[in-house]
């Protein structure tokens, strides 16, 4: 199992390694989640989903199933 | 060289709307892009040689479309023969987040359309230790004017205007990505490849065009407010308080201007009746057109207050947090965190609720929200519920401390909410869509609201309602008036002659006579005839033809049911206690001697009003928002079917 952004805990700084191909990949990319981008989960919604992510200096909210398409290291 | 037509483009939350509002002020209107449901905002910038048209393109992160509505930007820019194709583009970017914002800029630049770069919020970037290097930028992008602004306070706007008037064009065009044409990039894989390549180019570009005074720090400290607003307890609690405030605003404050509008229009009606000679033409004006106009204007206070409130929540950044904490709860129903506010607003009035669905980017989720919003019990249902509860539900305490009447009222609201969610669930399966549901929402920093934006947006909503939906509402009101005022041949005159005019000057007796005349006129009008004709259809759910007539007339607005009942039963509509009406209704008997208003009929009628789509104003706004009659027609049919089935069920349960 590859580690994805959905598995990352709050405060842990990770790098985007790959995007799992899906209909939303190009959208994720446009939002700044390109390979090499540093991301950090800032906080989570009450049921742990969606999550708020720092993407290169702005806060993006992502659903867990969207975060699960982002392979990180 | 000056331009005739230019367009504004930019990421959401960059202050693009502020720039647009600063440039055009109140000189803006809403139009249509062909084939999509997004509105086209057009403004005019006055200049010495005529005016320059500015189109505010929808906020987007990329020119590649991810939905039908986002296709607008792509079509407008890609197709030089498109009627809205601009001669030049103003790209508004958030200077404090250059990397992501430059993606859109480089895409636009590569189209080789004259382009201006507006660096908004450059003060924030400056404070963060970043300074834009204009010289280096000009070297790489010759002919692209760069203007630093703070649109919030209006700084730099005069420079934008002067530059537009002077004209500008790209010189020595060197695309960021070679051999780039939009046509090639329509398939998602090459789009992704291209975007990735573009980000590489931008990363290489940034060190050259930005002077970092301190080392680049992309770390974000979580705002204390965010800790509270998305907290599992405080977050929902604060949202609940906000909702209570919203309802307070709509129910208590809006009622003052609404009562005033009501009074003004009824005075106006009386005045026309007095000054014009009696006849059909006068009746058309005083009973058809004026009440019809009143029926449009009456909604303005609610729309204005709701959008004032929502505008503030949106501008401050709070709305994004509401979406964030509600998304997970709404998803199972085929809805989105963004559906919450439109749905809950519909508990006051579905019209502003439906207009507030604009922010939902997925068409399917937006459509489902629009379709189920009228199931939420709105304020117009309250008079109907109150009358019926007073009629058939006894004043008693159950389970120790619950007031039975209150409990029934609560159940009706709950029934509306639960049904809205269940219908969403069904529609989620029925409505086919190729679009994938995404959230991907930017959580903007907290800011003080920009009142200019709130005010202009509120004005636009009112204009859209009055001029687009208003036409339909007025037309339907006139049709309803005509149906309730005319009957076949001399049927009405004959019926009126049957009633003997009292030979007295006693005001009370004359009033009773007048009420009897109104009643007999309605009974013999086309509306009355239809009401009688449908009796066999509505008898299985417990209604007689008198209720039938009131069901038809309340299509103008649900609360008309009460006034219509008062007319039929020839009692004075005191609009408050309904004591006279309640007594008459209680004494009403079927031909076999059983009372018409049994508990079963009363409950069946309440349930009917929970479900039935009896509001032409809502239908008019659904048509406006979906740009087709298809959806309002489906809405009438499905809600009507639900109303009938549910009423039938409860009528037999309680019989």
């Amino acid at each position: 199992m590859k580690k994805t952004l959905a598995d990352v805990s709050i405060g842990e700084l990770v790098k985007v390694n790959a995007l799992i191909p899906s209909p939303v990949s190009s959208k994720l990319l446009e939002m700044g989640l390109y390979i090499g981008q540093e991301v950090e989960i800032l906080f989570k919604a009450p049921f742990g989903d969606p999550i708020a992510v720092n993407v290169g200096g702005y806060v993006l909210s992502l659903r867990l199933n969207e975060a699960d398409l982002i392979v990180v290291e | 060289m000056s331009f005739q037509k230019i367009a504004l483009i930019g990421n959401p939350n960059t202050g693009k709307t502020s720039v647009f509002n600063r440039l055009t002020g109140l000189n803006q209107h809403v139009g249509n892009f062909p084939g999509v449901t997004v509105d086209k905002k057009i403004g005019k910038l006055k200049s010495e040689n005529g005016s320059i048209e500015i189109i505010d393109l929808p906020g987007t992160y990329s020119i590649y479309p991810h939905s039908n509505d986002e296709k607008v930007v792509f079509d407008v820019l890609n197709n030089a023969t498109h009627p809205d194709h601009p001669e030049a583009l103003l790209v508004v970017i958030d200077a404090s987040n250059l990397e992501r914002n430059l993606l859109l800029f480089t895409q636009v630049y590569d189209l080789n359309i004259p382009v201006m770069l507006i660096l908004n919020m450059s003060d924030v970037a400056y404070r963060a230790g970043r300074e834009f290097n204009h010289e280096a930028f000009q070297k790489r992008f010759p002919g692209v004017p760069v203007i630093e602004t703070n649109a919030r306070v209006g700084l730099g706007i005069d420079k934008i205007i002067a530059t537009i008037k002077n004209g500008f064009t790209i010189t020595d065009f060197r695309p960021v990505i070679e051999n780039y044409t939009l046509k090639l990039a329509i398939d998602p894989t090459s789009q992704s490849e291209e975007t990735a390549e573009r980000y590489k180019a931008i990363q290489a570009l940034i060190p050259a065009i930005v002077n970092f005074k301190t080392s680049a720090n992309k770390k974000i400290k979580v705002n204390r407010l965010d800790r509270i607003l998305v907290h599992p307890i405080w977050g929902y609690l604060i949202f609940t308080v906000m909702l209570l405030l919203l309802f307070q605003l709509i129910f208590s404050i809006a009622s003052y201007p609404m009562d005033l509008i009501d009074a003004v229009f009824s005075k106006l009606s009386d005045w026309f009746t007095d000054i014009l000679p009696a006849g059909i033409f006068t009746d058309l004006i005083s009973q058809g057109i004026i009440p019809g106009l009143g029926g449009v204007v009456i909604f303005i206070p609610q729309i204005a207050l709701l959008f004032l409130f929502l505008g503030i929540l949106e501008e401050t950044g709070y709305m994004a947090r509401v979406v964030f904490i509600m998304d997970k709860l709404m998803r199972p129903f085929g809805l989105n965190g963004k559906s919450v506010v439109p749905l809950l607003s519909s508990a006051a009035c579905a019209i502003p609720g439906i207009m507030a669905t604009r922010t939902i980017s997925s068409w399917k989720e937006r459509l489902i929200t629009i379709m189920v919003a009228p199931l939420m019990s709105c304020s117009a249902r309250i008079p109907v519920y109150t009358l019926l509860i007073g009629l058939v539900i006894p004043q008693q305490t159950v389970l120790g401390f619950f007031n039975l009447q209150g409990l029934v009222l609560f159940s009706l609201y709950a029934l509306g909410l639960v049904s809205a969610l269940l219908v969403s669930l069904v529609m989620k399966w029925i409505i086919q869509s190729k679009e994938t549901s995404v959230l991907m929402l930017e959580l903007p920093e907290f800011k003080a609201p920009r009142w200019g934006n709130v005010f202009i947006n509120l004005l636009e909503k009112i204009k859209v309602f009055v001029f687009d939906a208003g036409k339909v509402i007025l037309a339907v009101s006139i049709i309803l008036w005509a149906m309730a005022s005319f009957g076949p041949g001399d049927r009405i005159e004959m019926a009126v002659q049957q009633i003997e005019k009292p030979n007295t000057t006693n005001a009370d007796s004359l009033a009773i006579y007048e009420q009897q005349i109104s009643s007999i006129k309605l009974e013999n009008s086309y509306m009355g005839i239809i009401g009688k004709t449908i009796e066999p259809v509505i008898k299985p759910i417990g209604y007689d033809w008198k209720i039938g007539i009131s069901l038809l007339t309340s299509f103008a607005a649900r609360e008309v049911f009460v006034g219509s009942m008062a007319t039929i039963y020839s009692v004075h509509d005191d609009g408050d206690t309904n004591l006279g009406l309640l007594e008459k209704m209680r004494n009403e008997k079927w031909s076999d001697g059983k009372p018409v208003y049994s508990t079963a009929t009363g409950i069946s009628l309440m349930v009917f009003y929970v479900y039935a789509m009896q509001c032409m104003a809502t239908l008019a706004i659904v048509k406006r928002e979906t740009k087709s009659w298809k959806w309002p027609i489906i809405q009438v049919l499905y809600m009507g079917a639900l109303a009938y089935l549910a009423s039938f069920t409860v009528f037999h349960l309680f019989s």
Side-chain angles (χ1 to χ4, degrees):
Chain A
M1 272 302 282
K2 286 176 191 160
K3 184 177 176 183
T4 70
L5 189 56
D7 310 319
V8 174
S9 44
I10 293 176
E12 189 184 342
L13 198 67
V14 292
K15 252 186 190 158
V16 176
N17 207 3
L19 293 181
I20 295 168
S22 82
V24 297
S25 325
S26 63
K27 177 86 182 158
L28 287 167
L29 205 57
E30 282 164 10
M31 299 306 286
L33 290 154
Y34 52 80
I35 293 163
Q37 176 75 277
E38 285 192 346
V39 290
E40 178 198 349
I41 297 180
L42 297 171
F43 51 88
K44 295 180 177 185
F47 300 95
D49 182 15
I51 55 175
V53 188
N54 173 3
V55 182
Y58 83 97
V59 187
L60 175 70
S61 67
L62 283 175
R63 289 177 175 170
L64 276 187
N65 58 3
E66 291 156 5
D68 210 25
L69 297 167
I70 303 161
V71 182
V72 294
E73 63 182 19
Chain B
M1 183 197 84
S2 185
F3 304 115
Q4 306 262 293
K5 193 194 281 175
I6 55 179
L8 264 176
I9 188 169
N11 289 185
N13 299 310
T14 51
K16 179 172 71 76
T17 308
S18 295
V19 173
F20 181 70
N21 288 342
R22 289 275 179 189
L23 289 175
T24 63
L26 290 174
N27 258 326
Q28 44 176 279
H29 67 276
V30 174
N32 285 325
F33 286 116
V36 290
T37 58
V38 257
D39 284 325
K40 177 169 78 177
K41 272 166 74 185
I42 310 158
K44 289 226 174 346
L45 175 66
K46 295 266 188 300
S47 86
E48 297 77 43
N49 21 347
S51 61
I52 301 162
E53 190 182 284
I54 305 181
I55 302 169
D56 186 22
L57 292 171
T60 180
Y61 292 99
S62 154
I63 51 180
Y64 296 133
H66 294 283
S67 70
N68 196 27
D69 284 351
E70 278 177 38
K71 242 178 124 250
V72 167
V73 175
F74 183 81
D75 289 344
V76 165
L77 298 183
N78 185 38
N79 179 0
T81 60
H82 193 285
D84 296 312
H85 187 72
E87 294 161 58
L89 278 164
L90 315 184
V91 183
V92 183
I93 73 173
D94 175 354
S96 57
N97 187 359
L98 269 184
E99 191 179 73
R100 196 199 65 212
N101 279 267
L102 281 177
L103 177 75
L104 183 65
F105 167 76
T106 63
Q107 286 179 333
V108 168
Y109 176 84
D110 284 359
L111 293 173
N112 201 4
I113 300 172
V115 56
M116 176 201 289
L117 185 66
I118 298 173
L119 280 173
N120 197 26
M121 303 187 250
S122 46
D123 52 322
V124 180
Y126 190 79
R127 273 202 303 278
R130 272 164 287 169
E131 205 173 22
F132 196 78
N133 185 335
H134 288 263
E135 224 168 284
F137 185 84
Q138 287 305 328
K139 242 177 160 173
R140 174 59 190 87
F141 299 103
V144 178
V146 180
I147 293 164
E148 295 193 29
T149 59
N150 183 340
R152 176 180 271 285
V153 293
L155 225 68
I157 301 296
D158 45 347
K159 271 195 206 157
I160 299 178
I161 295 175
T163 315
I164 294 172
K165 287 180 181 168
N166 279 333
F168 48 86
T169 191
I170 296 174
T171 51
D172 185 20
F173 173 63
R174 273 178 294 138
V176 175
I177 302 288
E178 295 289 338
N179 302 322
Y180 162 74
T181 59
L182 279 171
K183 286 183 199 79
L184 279 177
I186 195 79
D187 94 280
T189 322
S190 47
Q191 253 179 43
S192 295
E193 281 169 12
E194 199 247 24
T195 307
E197 210 181 320
R198 212 169 264 286
Y199 266 120
K200 278 196 192 120
I202 292 166
Q203 281 171 295
L205 190 67
I206 284 184
I209 61 169
V210 181
N211 300 335
F212 295 95
K213 290 188 293 181
T214 53
S215 64
N217 186 5
K218 289 177 176 176
K219 198 119 181 78
I220 293 177
K221 239 181 80 190
V222 179
N223 196 308
R224 288 238 312 277
L225 259 178
D226 264 326
R227 298 225 180 273
I228 302 168
L229 294 180
V230 306
H231 188 272
I233 296 163
W234 296 117
Y236 293 115
L237 204 68
I238 291 169
F239 180 50
T240 311
V241 171
M242 287 290 174
L243 281 176
L244 288 177
L245 252 164
L246 174 72
F247 286 125
Q248 196 59 29
L249 210 63
I250 290 177
F251 283 112
S252 58
I253 301 178
S255 66
Y256 296 107
M258 286 169 84
D259 289 347
L260 189 72
I261 290 165
D262 212 24
V264 167
F265 277 89
S266 77
K267 279 270 179 316
L268 217 57
S269 257
D270 294 347
W271 186 70
F272 272 105
T273 315
D274 287 345
I275 62 155
L276 293 174
I280 289 181
F281 180 69
T282 305
D283 286 354
L284 171 67
I285 292 179
S286 66
Q287 293 166 30
I289 296 175
I290 291 179
L293 286 174
V296 177
V297 177
I298 197 91
F299 286 107
I300 293 177
Q302 286 189 338
I303 294 175
L305 280 171
L306 188 84
F307 282 103
L308 172 72
F309 195 77
L310 296 188
I312 295 169
L313 295 192
E314 191 77 56
E315 283 276 323
T316 51
Y318 177 63
M319 198 65 99
R321 274 73 186 179
V322 171
V323 174
F324 187 72
I325 62 170
M326 297 305 289
D327 184 68
K328 176 87 177 169
L329 299 174
M330 302 307 284
R331 237 183 285 165
F333 302 103
L335 299 168
N336 175 301
K338 292 180 182 169
S339 312
V340 170
V341 169
L343 275 186
L344 294 174
S345 306
S346 299
C349 177
I351 292 163
I354 286 167
M355 294 173 89
T357 60
R358 292 272 178 92
T359 53
I360 305 174
S361 47
S362 148
W363 167 240
K364 180 176 171 177
E365 289 168 343
R366 179 167 173 221
L367 188 63
I368 294 178
T369 312
I370 292 175
M371 293 301 276
V372 303
L375 288 172
M376 303 292 289
S377 278
C378 64
S379 56
R381 281 153 163 124
I382 294 173
V384 183
Y385 292 162
T386 312
L387 177 77
L388 295 170
I389 287 175
L391 192 64
V392 298
I393 308 294
Q395 182 68 267
Q396 67 181 58
T397 307
V398 284
L399 300 172
F401 54 93
F402 287 111
N403 173 307
L404 186 60
Q405 293 189 332
L407 211 57
V408 170
L409 185 64
F410 174 80
S411 312
L412 294 172
Y413 271 86
L415 183 63
L417 174 67
V418 170
S419 307
L421 292 176
L422 291 179
V423 172
S424 306
L425 202 61
V426 174
M427 289 195 172
K428 179 185 164 187
W429 296 108
I430 294 175
I431 299 175
Q432 295 298 318
S433 166
K434 273 177 272 162
E435 287 174 26
T436 325
S437 163
V438 286
L439 184 66
M440 282 194 235
L441 170 81
E442 193 177 340
L443 296 180
E445 282 174 41
F446 295 105
K447 291 186 211 96
R450 286 152 296 186
W451 296 104
N453 290 356
V454 173
F455 178 69
I456 288 176
N457 178 46
L458 191 152
L459 221 59
E460 183 214 306
K461 296 285 190 236
I462 294 174
K463 264 159 63 180
V464 160
F465 175 73
V466 171
F467 296 113
D468 291 359
K471 283 181 287 196
V472 178
I473 299 171
L474 186 60
V476 178
S477 321
I478 292 171
I479 294 170
L480 288 176
W481 163 77
M483 283 173 64
S485 308
F486 301 105
D490 57 355
R491 189 173 162 141
I492 291 181
E493 288 80 57
M494 297 294 282
V496 168
Q497 278 167 23
Q498 301 287 314
I499 301 174
E500 211 175 309
K501 187 171 180 178
N503 195 7
T504 164
T505 50
N506 181 315
D508 285 347
S509 326
L510 282 174
I512 291 170
Y513 169 73
E514 288 297 327
Q515 283 156 4
Q516 283 171 336
I517 296 284
S518 308
S519 171
I520 203 98
K521 274 185 176 167
L522 181 57
E523 189 184 329
N524 288 285
S525 66
Y526 288 109
M527 193 80 91
I529 294 165
I530 299 172
K532 283 184 180 169
T533 317
I534 61 169
E535 199 183 67
V537 182
I538 57 177
K539 208 162 174 189
I541 53 176
Y543 312 157
D544 65 356
W545 61 266
K546 294 180 179 176
I547 300 176
I549 294 175
S550 298
L551 291 185
L552 295 171
T553 53
S554 57
F555 190 67
R558 291 179 175 92
E559 70 269 25
V560 170
F561 177 83
V562 180
S564 182
M565 281 310 233
T567 305
I568 294 168
Y569 283 103
S570 330
V571 291
H572 173 63
D573 174 18
D574 62 6
D576 200 16
T577 57
N578 302 315
L579 285 177
L581 179 58
L582 281 174
E583 197 188 308
K584 286 261 178 121
M585 287 170 80
R586 279 199 191 101
N587 293 330
E588 185 73 4
K589 301 273 194 298
W590 288 104
S591 48
D592 61 5
K594 284 193 202 140
V596 170
Y597 295 95
S598 59
T599 310
T601 292
I603 293 176
S604 157
L605 204 46
M606 287 181 228
V607 168
F608 193 88
Y609 270 84
V610 168
Y611 288 108
M613 180 66 239
Q614 287 162 300
C615 179
M616 58 173 177
T618 303
L619 288 174
I621 205 71
V622 171
K623 193 261 162 184
R624 164 66 180 71
E625 293 295 318
T626 60
K627 308 269 162 93
S628 125
W629 278 110
K630 177 183 168 189
W631 297 108
I633 290 170
I634 293 177
Q635 206 166 30
V636 171
L637 296 177
Y638 102 77
M639 289 176 70
L642 270 184
Y644 194 85
L645 283 174
S647 302
F648 183 85
T649 312
V650 292
F651 180 68
H652 288 275
L653 272 177
F654 286 91
S655 283

